[in-house]
Amino acid sequence: MMILRSLMRQPMHGYALVQHIKQRSNELLQIEEGSLYPALQRLLKEGLLKAEWQVSASNRRVRTYRITPAGRKHLELEISSFERMIEAIALVLSPAGS
C-alpha cells in the first residue's frame, strides 16, 4: 500500500520511494532495499506498476516506477480493507462495555 500510495503523487525511482516513505512517516518506517525491489518486481508482474529507464538529476540511469489504473483500483481496495482491519482492532482493544 505504501508503495502504491507514494506513486499516486508522482512517478519515482527506488531510492526516492525509500526516502519518501521515510520522510512521510516521520522517519518511523525504514524500507530496506532488500524488501523494496522484490515488492516492486511483484507489483510490476501483477500489472499494478509500470517502469521505464530514465536519467536522474544526478545524471545516473534509474528505473522509474509509475502506478497503473489497475494499481489505483487495487490501492483503493487495499485501503478499504486496511481501514476495516483498523476498526476491528480498535474494537478489540477498547475497554469492555464501551
Side-chain angles (χ1 to χ4, degrees), residues 3 35-49 51 53 63 65:
I3 293 170
S35 56
L36 174 68
Y37 289 103
L40 289 169
Q41 290 305 311
R42 182 181 53 79
L43 294 168
L44 283 167
K45 186 176 178 181
E46 293 174 3
L48 305 178
L49 296 181
W53 289 101
R63 195 167 188 197
Y65 300 89

Side-chain angles (χ1 to χ4, degrees), residues 28-94:
L28 293 171
L29 299 174
Q30 304 287 329
I31 307 299
E32 299 294 327
E33 290 183 26
S35 56
L36 174 68
Y37 289 103
L40 289 169
Q41 290 305 311
R42 182 181 53 79
L43 294 168
L44 283 167
K45 186 176 178 181
E46 293 174 3
L48 305 178
L49 296 181
K50 287 195 176 203
E52 62 184 353
W53 289 101
Q54 296 182 334
V55 177
S56 72
S58 60
N59 207 28
R60 293 178 52 196
R61 195 166 174 242
V62 294
R63 195 167 188 197
T64 302
Y65 300 89
R66 174 185 315 273
I67 191 168
T68 64
R72 291 175 191 276
K73 185 172 184 173
H74 180 79
L75 177 60
E76 287 177 22
L77 295 172
E78 287 295 313
I79 288 173
S80 176
S81 176
F82 184 74
E83 287 172 343
R84 286 193 311 275
M85 182 181 64
I86 294 296
E87 288 174 19
I89 291 170
L91 289 171
V92 171
L93 294 179
S94 67

